[in-house]
Amino acid sequence: MTGRGAAVVFVLGTAWVQHWSALPPRPLAWGCLLLAGLWSLGCWCRAACLQRRDRAGCHRRRLWQVAGLWGAAWGLAIGLAHLQALDRMAQSLPASEQDQVFRVALRVVSLPDADAGQVRFEAEVLDSRPAGLPGRIQVVWYAPGYRSVERGAPEGGGATDRDGQAGAESSLPEVVPGQVWSMALNMRSPYGSRNPHGFDYEGWMFQKAIRAVGTVRGTPVMQDSHVVPSWSIRVQQVRHAVRAGMQHHLAGSRYGAVLVALALGDQAGVSAQDWATFNRSGITHLVSISGLHVTMVAALGGGLALYLWKRLSWRGVPLAARCPAQIPAACCALWVAWLYCLLAGWGVPAQRTFFMLAVVAVCALLQLPLSLSRVLALAAVIVLLFDPWAVLAQGFWLSFGAVGVLMLASQGRWLSRDAAQVSQRTLHSGRDASGEVPGTEADRAWQEYVELFSPPAIAVSRAERWNVACRHVARQQVSSLWQGTRLQLAISMALVPVLAAMFQQVPLLSPLANALAIPLVSFLVTPLALIGAALGMLPAWGQGMAAHALDLGQAIFVALMLWIDWLSSFETGLLDTAAAPWWLTLLGVMGAIILLLPAGVFGKLCGVTLLMPALFWRPETMTPGSWSLTALDVGQGSAIVVATARHALLFDTGLPYGPGSDAGERVVYPYLRASGITGLDVLVVSHADSDHSGGLPGLLRHVPVRYGFASFDLAAQRLPADAGLPSHRLPCRAGMHWELDGVRFRFLHPQGTDALPIRSGNAQSCVLQVEGQYHRALLTGDIGVQEERLLVETEGQQLRSEVVLAGHHGARTSSGNLFVRATAARHVIAQSGRFNRFGHPHPDVEQRWQQAGARFWRTDLEGAVMVRSDATGLAVQAERQRRRRYWQGSMP
């Protein structure tokens, strides 16, 4: 366990660096490497001294050796990850160049991601004016007339969101890897929303080495490039050609994008609706390049090389006589696996599989004994040596964890005794004196299968022998399917606490879905997709065969989805879990491992006892009179969650991000789920503007609501058929109030009279005051200075609140001097999107609140803002402060 323990230490050390809030200077990184070397040298010298004193050996010498190896692994991991992080941070866009236009000459280096109105791709910067751009950037190119949603959505990437109005005519030219363009780009650092338990878009972009995002301005010009493309660009050109050929044959098919994802790892075309179905059924891991796919392709290549090498000769001498066939077979399998991993995009699962195959091949050629656990550990170290940011990807932990579970399950009770005996059986097992094969029925079937192709001792018809062989093959296939189902059940059970911690959802029907999906997708759909992709590259005579292969794969997947859709329709098939603390997740993993071990009844009960808290944990409840408020980072929109001891309220729902995507589904619902909130007691939509009501469809599709208040008719909203309206719908009017767990909620506006002219929806925004036992909060919607003046006149001292939401996202038309003095706020929150075109919040507004003594919080710079009011006081913190990472250093 010394080497495997060192590998674990190396992985943990690399992961620790990625959680730093800032990077120390470079000399400290070199010092860490030096200390690691000195520590290792000192420990091994101490071990050598102990060995000279005691030739028989002792435990102390072993402990010193382990300490030296593990200490070296820890220091090496920290030092290398630190140095690589410093080099990548040096590629950041300078703060003074944010939101500036650059004239850039660039080369396309990735597969373009295009839809009806825009195209995105990664590019290598060849020249820029002014200088100073990072070497690798992402480019977003919109067609004329394309309107995107407001900046700053969760996956906006610092330019705009991926989804927008797709109704514009796409007049963009085809973008192909290797092309050289001259463009005017508006450059910004990658930016994404930061919410508790939410997706870290900036970390994802940092992992991909993209340190700037540019939006095209004007009309780009394609240039002639006489430079020979690099190997990586040629790979991307091949991927582009293969994808184009597959899309040509799959045009208009329901799941054509899935076949493209299985062949190339390009998941951009898979719809959000399909992803939701895959997540609910637990087959998301199949709609991607997995280790099984890479291994299958490598086995085909190695098997073909083995077959040909044994039968070919050179100058009359068989090739097998010149070199053992296993050597070229292993090399060919590794070469084929490497090519396929490149074609698939070189993701973490592909890397893990390739490096595992490489280690196995090298050890086999050198005849070095190496267990599967050591191969897995060594592959993890190699992956992190090349890419220390792989630990940020959930796929890294899921991929290596799944393989580890397979290793554990195959040695425990999940593997039947018959299967274990079959795996250990030798080819030449004989019969006993009575003529029977000793052992199980599977042993006897194997012997009959071998004797089919051997000279029979007695006269047996060939038809009878073929009958025996067919029965044996059928029995073996059924046994393999059953063992595969058992192993899938083991993986599903072991990864339950991990899935709960990462996604706050556990698909309970995953074993049933995967029992059918794994063999169909792995052994039928994926090979057909690969065959169709390969034949599509051939001349005209291969196009028809490619179309038939892809159509057959599409038909099989459509049939499979009938079963998957039916399973996904069960509401109880998906278990929503709150985000448990890390120590509970660790205990859950230990419990799942115990369940997989050949333990007795007592051990199984211990495993269940350790596993259950991670699934059914709920955050600590507050005392009556206390409340918490979370102003979510939804971009240029508003969404605030207020929670009491046993109830929850949502004020506004955020903005729409595009067709079928909004803040309610992508931000609000995941936050509620991670917080253990399964339903809303009250929903308040301040007014009908899309930045406040745009998240209604996605929210109501997933979250039941008891009472709904709005300044407009909620039923008049365009909602999907599967979105349920609140059970009770009422207009918000000044004076309406209710109490939950000792916390009083009261509407202060609109007045419900003709005192105010209805100039716009902003003027009629619902204004809600939250009054607990210790503090108050005021949620203002988009009211302006005139409405604020009316509130001051009608409420007087009752308007005083410790926490205030800045009206209209901090616009200059709100937060007047009279209102600022009347509220006497200690904390003011402005919900706005980074780089929004309105300039919210206005500098004058921010300065006005600060001069009044308030701390001014901005969700565009600080992420979600969390407030908690209880007997201990008023605690306020921002997500970017609470979970700060070093790659945010370029943000102001």
Side-chain angles (χ1 to χ4, degrees):
M1 290 293 292
T2 303
R4 283 166 289 186
V8 173
V9 170
F10 185 89
V11 172
L12 294 178
T14 305
W16 183 54
V17 173
Q18 309 312 324
H19 285 77
W20 288 357
S21 59
L23 290 176
R26 188 177 295 270
L28 291 182
W30 288 109
C32 186
L33 292 176
L34 180 61
L35 287 177
L38 294 177
W39 169 261
S40 177
L41 180 61
C43 290
W44 282 93
C45 289
R46 177 60 177 169
C49 293
L50 291 175
Q51 184 177 11
R52 284 196 297 269
R53 295 178 185 176
D54 185 5
R55 294 294 181 181
C58 63
H59 294 292
R60 292 175 58 191
R61 183 177 74 252
R62 180 66 174 173
L63 289 177
W64 278 106
Q65 292 175 346
V66 171
L69 185 59
W70 287 16
W74 179 261
L76 184 66
I78 295 176
L80 292 179
H82 187 183
L83 289 174
Q84 290 174 286
L86 287 171
D87 293 339
R88 185 159 293 185
M89 284 296 298
Q91 294 290 318
S92 302
L93 183 68
S96 59
E97 305 293 346
Q98 295 284 343
D99 209 18
Q100 301 297 319
V101 177
F102 286 71
R103 173 62 64 177
V104 183
L106 53 85
R107 179 183 287 111
V108 182
V109 295
S110 72
L111 271 181
D113 178 10
D115 58 23
Q118 65 163 333
V119 60
R120 292 177 179 232
F121 56 88
E122 297 174 18
E124 172 191 4
V125 176
L126 303 178
D127 183 50
S128 68
R129 297 191 303 272
L133 275 186
R136 191 179 184 93
I137 64 174
Q138 184 185 70
V139 178
V140 186
W141 189 354
Y142 294 106
Y146 183 92
R147 292 202 311 254
S148 64
V149 298
E150 197 51 63
R151 270 67 165 163
E155 297 175 11
T160 73
D161 238 51
R162 169 181 174 79
D163 299 316
Q165 177 185 351
E169 286 279 339
S170 179
S171 58
L172 297 176
E174 183 182 14
V175 178
V176 178
Q179 289 179 342
V180 176
W181 292 85
S182 176
M183 298 180 171
L185 298 177
N186 185 39
M187 300 302 305
R188 295 165 180 168
S189 294
Y191 170 80
S193 294
R194 289 295 302 274
N195 292 288
H197 316 293
F199 175 63
D200 186 0
Y201 177 80
E202 296 169 33
W204 181 65
M205 295 288 278
F206 187 82
Q207 180 188 352
K208 297 173 62 178
I210 299 176
R211 304 299 297 132
V213 180
T215 306
V216 174
R217 295 289 183 263
T219 304
V221 178
M222 186 169 64
Q223 300 178 344
D224 293 332
S225 176
H226 301 289
V227 180
V228 178
S230 62
W231 170 253
S232 61
I233 293 180
R234 288 191 180 277
V235 171
Q236 296 299 328
Q237 290 174 341
V238 172
R239 297 185 71 206
H240 182 271
V242 172
R243 185 180 68 173
M246 294 186 68
Q247 290 175 342
H248 172 72
H249 294 298
L250 294 170
S253 59
R254 175 65 180 85
Y255 294 106
V258 174
L259 269 68
V260 175
L262 291 173
L264 298 175
D266 179 25
Q267 302 173 346
V270 182
S271 66
Q273 178 184 357
D274 290 338
W275 280 123
T277 302
F278 300 153
N279 290 332
R280 290 184 62 87
S281 58
I283 66 168
T284 307
H285 62 100
L286 292 177
V287 191
S288 60
I289 303 298
S290 66
L292 178 60
H293 301 161
V294 178
T295 305
M296 182 174 58
V297 173
L300 290 175
L304 180 61
L306 185 66
Y307 177 83
L308 295 177
W309 195 267
K310 290 182 176 180
R311 286 159 177 79
L312 297 179
S313 60
W314 175 256
R315 294 183 178 179
V317 180
L319 294 180
R322 298 177 180 269
C323 179
Q326 290 78 5
I327 295 178
C331 296
C332 183
L334 199 59
W335 180 68
V336 171
W338 178 60
L339 291 180
Y340 181 57
C341 289
L342 292 179
L343 187 66
W346 197 244
V348 172
Q351 294 178 35
R352 182 258 305 164
T353 307
F354 172 75
F355 288 126
M356 287 185 65
L357 292 174
V359 172
V360 170
V362 172
C363 292
L365 295 178
L366 299 179
Q367 296 182 353
L368 298 177
L370 200 61
S371 63
L372 187 57
S373 60
R374 290 185 174 88
V375 172
L376 185 66
L378 187 56
V381 172
I382 296 175
V383 168
L384 295 183
L385 284 175
F386 288 97
D387 183 12
W389 302 279
V391 294
L392 299 175
Q394 296 170 338
F396 175 85
W397 304 100
L398 293 176
S399 177
F400 281 93
V403 176
V405 171
L406 282 175
M407 292 162 41
L408 181 63
S410 62
Q411 299 172 1
R413 288 189 175 179
W414 287 97
L415 187 64
S416 68
R417 187 175 302 172
D418 289 349
Q421 291 176 356
V422 170
S423 63
Q424 298 173 0
R425 186 193 304 113
T426 59
L427 181 63
H428 300 289
S429 60
R431 297 177 179 268
D432 57 16
S434 63
E436 297 293 334
V437 178
T440 64
E441 182 182 355
D443 295 315
R444 291 188 290 272
W446 176 261
Q447 183 63 26
E448 293 172 354
Y449 178 72
V450 172
E451 291 177 352
L452 173 66
F453 301 99
S454 303
I458 58 176
V460 179
S461 66
R462 184 168 295 274
E464 292 180 359
R465 284 185 283 160
W466 275 111
N467 188 23
V468 172
C470 291
R471 288 201 308 270
H472 168 74
V473 171
R475 190 183 299 113
Q476 288 295 101
Q477 294 300 321
V478 172
S479 176
S480 299
L481 181 60
W482 173 240
Q483 295 302 329
T485 304
R486 285 186 171 189
L487 292 177
Q488 173 57 35
L489 183 60
I491 293 176
S492 301
M493 180 178 296
L495 295 183
V496 158
V498 180
L499 294 174
M502 289 183 175
F503 307 106
Q504 291 80 55
Q505 284 185 328
V506 178
L508 300 178
L509 300 179
S510 172
L512 294 177
N514 282 281
L516 183 61
I518 286 179
L520 288 182
V521 174
S522 299
F523 301 110
L524 291 179
V525 180
T526 300
L528 288 171
L530 293 174
I531 292 173
L535 294 176
M537 299 294 294
L538 299 177
W541 59 270
Q543 300 301 313
M545 299 174 62
H548 289 310
L550 294 175
D551 290 342
L552 181 57
Q554 159 82 2
I556 295 174
F557 197 83
V558 169
L560 171 65
M561 289 306 298
L562 296 177
W563 168 251
I564 299 300
D565 289 334
W566 182 73
L567 289 178
S568 301
S569 62
F570 290 93
E571 295 183 359
T572 57
L574 196 64
L575 175 64
D576 290 339
T577 63
W582 66 268
W583 56 271
L584 268 185
T585 302
L586 182 60
L587 290 178
V589 172
M590 294 173 59
I593 292 176
I594 291 176
L595 291 176
L596 295 179
L597 293 175
V601 175
F602 179 75
K604 299 296 184 182
L605 291 177
C606 290
V608 173
T609 303
L610 293 174
L611 178 61
M612 289 299 104
L615 300 182
F616 299 100
W617 179 85
R618 288 294 180 269
E620 180 183 0
T621 58
M622 294 175 287
T623 59
S626 302
W627 53 266
S628 67
L629 180 151
T630 303
L632 295 172
D633 184 6
V634 293
Q636 186 62 22
S638 176
I640 302 100
V641 178
V642 181
T644 62
R646 295 171 299 175
H647 298 86
L649 174 146
L650 177 65
F651 188 90
D652 285 337
T653 62
L655 70 165
Y657 295 146
S661 176
D662 55 50
E665 185 170 35
R666 289 168 54 182
V667 179
V668 180
Y669 170 55
Y671 172 77
L672 295 177
R673 187 176 66 231
S675 302
I677 300 174
T678 58
L680 292 172
D681 297 280
V682 179
L683 168 65
V684 179
V685 184
S686 61
H687 60 295
D689 285 358
S690 62
D691 55 341
H692 294 254
S693 63
L696 266 175
L699 176 74
L700 297 178
R701 187 183 294 115
H702 299 285
V703 183
V705 179
R706 188 176 180 187
Y707 288 94
F709 295 91
S711 59
F712 60 97
D713 186 7
L714 283 174
Q717 288 289 103
R718 296 180 178 178
L719 299 175
D722 57 346
L725 286 169
S727 303
H728 307 279
R729 299 183 296 276
L730 300 170
C732 57
R733 290 292 181 267
M736 298 177 66
H737 61 89
W738 65 94
E739 186 172 320
L740 297 172
D741 301 325
V743 180
R744 188 168 184 249
F745 297 85
R746 183 167 65 100
F747 283 118
L748 308 183
H749 187 79
Q751 297 294 327
T753 67
D754 297 331
L756 283 177
I758 303 177
R759 295 175 289 111
S760 66
N762 292 345
Q764 296 302 307
S765 295
C766 304
V767 177
L768 181 67
Q769 187 178 58
V770 181
E771 183 178 0
Q773 184 177 350
Y774 312 101
H775 307 93
R776 291 176 180 170
L778 187 63
L779 310 180
T780 58
D782 277 357
I783 61 173
V785 174
Q786 187 176 355
E787 294 76 41
E788 292 174 349
R789 186 178 298 112
L790 180 61
L791 287 176
V792 174
E793 295 172 358
T794 57
E795 296 295 330
Q797 292 296 323
Q798 292 298 318
L799 201 61
R800 296 177 67 91
S801 303
E802 284 82 2
V803 180
V804 174
L805 181 71
H808 204 178
H809 316 285
R812 194 174 187 178
T813 55
S814 300
S815 300
N817 287 318
L818 185 63
F819 182 76
V820 170
R821 290 195 300 269
T823 56
R826 292 163 50 189
H827 299 275
V828 178
I829 304 172
Q831 286 187 296
S832 57
R834 182 75 172 146
F835 303 118
N836 68 85
R837 61 188 177 91
F838 306 104
H840 296 161
H842 197 278
D844 293 345
V845 171
E846 184 173 358
Q847 183 180 11
R848 192 177 302 147
W849 284 106
Q850 290 174 342
Q851 289 177 349
R855 167 70 162 89
F856 197 83
W857 301 84
R858 296 177 53 172
T859 59
D860 60 333
L861 297 182
E862 297 165 299
V865 180
M866 289 79 70
V867 184
R868 187 181 178 94
S869 167
D870 53 27
T872 61
L874 189 68
V876 185
Q877 60 178 341
E879 180 66 11
R880 287 185 181 271
Q881 294 178 347
R882 188 172 69 95
R883 287 198 312 147
R884 184 166 184 82
R885 299 293 180 260
Y886 64 84
W887 51 77
Q888 301 170 12
S890 60
M891 298 296 296

